[in-house]
Amino acid sequence: MANTGLSKSLILKGLQCQKALWLTKNPPDFELPPKPDLEALFRTGTEVGILAQQLFPGGVEVPYEGLSFGEQLTRTKQLIDSGAEVIYEASFSFSAIFVKVDILVRDGDAWQIHEVKMGTSVKDVNLDDVAVQHYVLNGCGLSVSKSFLVHINNQYVRQGDIEVDKLFTGEEITPQVLARLQSMPEVVQELRSTLRESAEPSIDIGPHCKDPYECDFIPYCWRHIPEDSIFDLRGRGTDKFKLYNQGIVRLADVPLDELNGAQRFQAEATLEQKDVTDREAVREFLGSLWYPLCHLDFETFDTPIPPFDGVRPYQKVPFQYSLHIQKEVGAEPEHCEYLAQPNVDPRRELIEQLLTTIPEDACILTYNQAFEKGVLRELAKLFPDLAEAIEVRLANVRDLMAPFKRRDVYRWPMRGSYSIKEVLPALVPELSYTGMEIADGMAAMQAYREMCALEAGEKLDRLRAAMLDYCRLDTLAMVKILKVLVATEGFSSC
Ligand code: SF4
């Protein structure tokens, strides 16, 4: 007999794609890659949820850990019957759908739902989420007077202890939830009938595969898409699913005049395996640099709960940098680096060390200058006594990404990208991020968070070493890429 049990998350999955719901209950005979480690994200979500409870103090929690579903339901009922005003994680089940309400607040004879999210605005999927809760509560005989989405206020700046009433914004979403509530019985019925089907639903790929969430079954459902397909085209431009629905999948089959300039360039370069080097433009770029030349890369972290004074939610806080300094063109670089100790505000120490290391008259080369400049500007705002020295460095920043973004230099294996992760293997194949314990900025950010949770010891030392290796490679990659540009153009102009 088909398993037609539903939960809130299964309903949300089914609303995104009924095939995803069916495949979750009937896993395909296909090896899916391991799911990304979301533990750090869940941990942050839990911290945010607990902090938001302070908006409604004095409540009683119905814990998930240590209680069966039945016990959570019984405990909730006892709290309601005994006159509780505020319940955290109240649990309900109706029509075999189990939900937990983040914060349930008594409102006369009815109840208010307060759903807590880590985002900074209300999204459609949040409205669906609360509509499912409202539906189940109604089914359990509870009346819901109002619904709110409690999300992060990204304008808040921490000064001293966290002020929860300023960190969070409670937006009333009652009308939008009521509008969805009407269709909820049919939605549940439709999803159940999908689950009763013995065959996989016939649903083709589409924008829904990544909206609102990236679907776990993409490797399975997209397995018929060949290499060098229309989906490899970068940037906005032609509607790829419109082409797909016309039966055009291979890049080789795309009518080139339907593509915008950048996509057409990419398609032609891929199909003809064509490389481009505009020597004059490279010469001009190299002419804008001077020595000493400091290749700089920051690593930053951001969290919904600002960890230090003067920080907004999700503001990027630098905790690490790598610097390769070349005294003259082609010279062996000297390497300097900084990695914060865990659980201290690293910003003053980091910028002081950086200012000592980068000479005032040095050219500072970054890869994607908007990021490094943004970090430096925030530091200048935070430390007025250092602002002038930081401004001098800011004026000297140049962007190694520029010639690749303009496509002065393009290698067809870059697949339309100018990210350093694509440019490096195309230009400097002997240097690679492959196999590194930390291989991208997101992993570095997670490693920093993990580092803050570790006691001193071997694991912490290993993590620090991996973080230093990764950041060092970022600036070494810039040294090597620049070397290729210099070799392309000749040494004369630099
Ligand atoms: S990959 Fe797309 S079509 Fe396949 S289950 Fe997921 S959302 Fe549905």
Side-chain angles (χ1 to χ4, degrees):
M1 198 170 132
N3 172 0
T4 59
L6 287 172
S7 63
K8 187 182 76 174
S9 58
L10 283 173
I11 293 175
L12 296 181
K13 187 171 279 199
L15 283 171
Q16 179 172 342
C17 174
Q18 295 194 14
K19 184 173 173 182
L21 171 68
W22 192 93
L23 288 170
T24 303
K25 294 271 192 168
N26 307 277
D29 186 14
F30 181 89
E31 197 174 337
L32 290 164
K35 289 188 184 176
D37 182 6
L38 300 175
E39 200 192 314
L41 197 66
F42 288 146
R43 216 175 23 234
T44 308
T46 305
E47 284 167 19
V48 168
I50 290 171
L51 203 56
Q53 290 175 355
Q54 292 179 20
L55 292 167
F56 300 92
V60 185
E61 181 168 353
V62 180
Y64 186 83
E65 298 289 337
L67 292 183
S68 68
F69 288 123
E71 286 166 336
Q72 291 173 57
L73 298 174
T74 307
R75 181 88 187 101
T76 302
K77 185 163 183 336
Q78 286 167 348
L79 288 169
I80 289 173
D81 292 345
S82 65
E85 289 293 320
V86 177
I87 306 173
Y88 310 133
E89 302 295 335
S91 308
F92 300 94
S93 177
F94 168 68
S95 181
I97 305 166
F98 180 85
V99 298
K100 281 179 90 68
V101 179
D102 288 336
I103 304 172
L104 188 68
V105 179
R106 196 181 285 270
D107 185 9
D109 292 338
W111 294 86
Q112 294 178 2
I113 293 174
H114 295 259
E115 171 69 12
V116 182
K117 292 290 179 208
M118 286 198 294
T120 56
S121 61
V122 178
K123 300 177 185 71
D124 280 356
V125 66
N126 305 143
L127 302 173
D128 292 331
D129 183 328
V130 178
V132 177
Q133 297 177 40
H134 193 141
Y135 171 71
V136 171
L137 263 67
N138 282 173
C140 294
L142 267 68
S143 166
V144 176
S145 57
K146 288 178 180 169
S147 298
F148 296 85
L149 194 86
V150 179
H151 62 77
I152 297 289
N153 165 23
N154 58 6
Q155 299 305 308
Y156 168 66
V157 180
R158 179 173 184 167
Q159 292 299 345
D161 290 340
I162 291 281
E163 299 160 280
V164 283
D165 56 329
K166 292 185 179 154
L167 173 63
F168 291 104
T169 299
E171 253 186 80
E172 187 174 352
I173 52 172
T174 312
Q176 301 97 304
V177 170
L178 288 175
R180 281 165 163 79
L181 188 65
Q182 286 176 354
S183 58
M184 205 46 75
E186 291 95 89
V187 166
V188 170
Q189 203 179 11
E190 194 182 330
L191 296 182
R192 288 226 157 94
S193 71
T194 297
L195 288 175
R196 270 193 286 273
E197 295 292 329
S198 55
E200 184 181 301
S202 168
I203 295 175
D204 205 353
I205 63 170
H208 56 273
C209 295
K210 295 189 178 169
D211 182 23
Y213 302 114
E214 187 149 314
C215 179
D216 295 340
F217 297 106
I218 285 178
Y220 171 69
C221 296
W222 287 62
R223 63 194 185 283
H224 62 294
I225 303 300
E227 239 182 73
D228 294 335
S229 81
I230 51 165
F231 296 107
D232 293 320
L233 290 169
R234 301 270 172 170
R236 296 207 183 126
T238 189
D239 182 341
K240 294 164 203 168
F241 282 107
K242 194 169 153 210
L243 290 175
Y244 176 76
N245 292 329
Q246 291 166 3
I248 300 168
V249 182
R250 296 183 325 137
L251 217 43
D253 298 333
V254 179
L256 291 177
D257 48 11
E258 282 201 21
L259 301 179
N260 67 23
Q263 291 185 332
R264 183 175 178 146
F265 176 95
Q266 182 194 342
E268 285 179 336
T270 303
L271 294 171
E272 296 164 26
Q273 302 202 339
K274 192 173 74 180
D275 295 337
V276 171
T277 305
D278 180 338
R279 283 171 191 278
E280 186 53 44
V282 172
R283 184 174 304 126
E284 202 176 305
F285 171 73
L286 294 176
S288 72
L289 311 181
W290 67 93
Y291 291 78
L293 184 66
C294 298
H295 303 255
L296 172 66
D297 180 62
F298 286 123
E299 297 302 329
T300 61
F301 73 95
D302 58 66
T303 60
I305 306 170
F308 311 120
D309 283 356
V311 178
R312 294 185 307 278
Y314 295 112
Q315 181 179 328
K316 294 188 182 312
V317 176
F319 61 87
Q320 181 176 13
Y321 68 73
S322 172
L323 197 60
H324 274 93
I325 305 176
Q326 286 180 293
K327 296 246 166 60
E328 56 194 48
V329 66
E332 265 311 299
E334 289 167 26
H335 184 245
C336 313
E337 62 197 353
Y338 173 89
L339 174 56
Q341 293 303 322
N343 298 312
V344 290
D345 183 348
R347 293 172 295 170
R348 180 86 199 186
E349 188 177 76
L350 176 145
I351 189 64
E352 281 182 348
Q353 185 180 306
L354 190 72
L355 290 173
T356 312
T357 317
I358 298 183
E360 272 197 12
D361 61 349
C363 176
I364 301 171
L365 198 58
T366 62
Y367 202 96
N368 187 8
Q369 63 175 354
F371 178 72
E372 268 72 24
K373 278 184 162 178
V375 170
L376 287 170
R377 284 197 189 105
E378 290 285 358
L379 291 167
K381 257 196 275 172
L382 183 69
F383 302 119
D385 58 317
L386 302 178
E388 200 181 319
I390 296 173
E391 289 297 337
V392 170
R393 271 55 173 206
L394 267 166
N396 292 343
V397 172
R398 298 291 179 270
D399 196 351
L400 182 58
M401 189 172 80
F404 300 99
K405 191 172 178 186
R406 285 192 302 259
R407 296 190 166 148
D408 300 340
V409 179
Y410 185 79
R411 301 289 175 267
W412 66 268
M414 290 180 196
R415 301 183 301 164
S417 168
Y418 44 84
S419 145
I420 197 166
K421 301 289 186 289
E422 300 287 349
V423 170
L424 181 66
L427 260 63
V428 190
E430 68 275 15
L431 205 60
S432 166
Y433 292 88
T434 311
M436 297 191 79
E437 188 173 339
I438 294 170
D440 59 50
M442 189 57 75
M445 190 193 302
Q446 277 182 10
Y448 177 73
R449 289 209 186 108
E450 198 182 331
M451 197 175 93
C452 289
L454 284 174
E455 300 285 332
E458 205 181 306
K459 192 166 177 203
L460 181 63
D461 294 345
R462 210 197 61 193
L463 200 57
R464 283 184 72 88
M467 291 166 80
L468 291 169
D469 280 351
Y470 165 67
C471 199
R472 187 184 306 123
L473 182 59
D474 266 346
T475 48
L476 183 61
M478 290 165 60
V479 172
K480 301 284 186 189
I481 290 169
L482 183 68
K483 192 174 171 189
V484 172
L485 293 189
V486 170
T488 301
E489 193 276 332
F491 288 86
S492 57
S493 68
C494 200

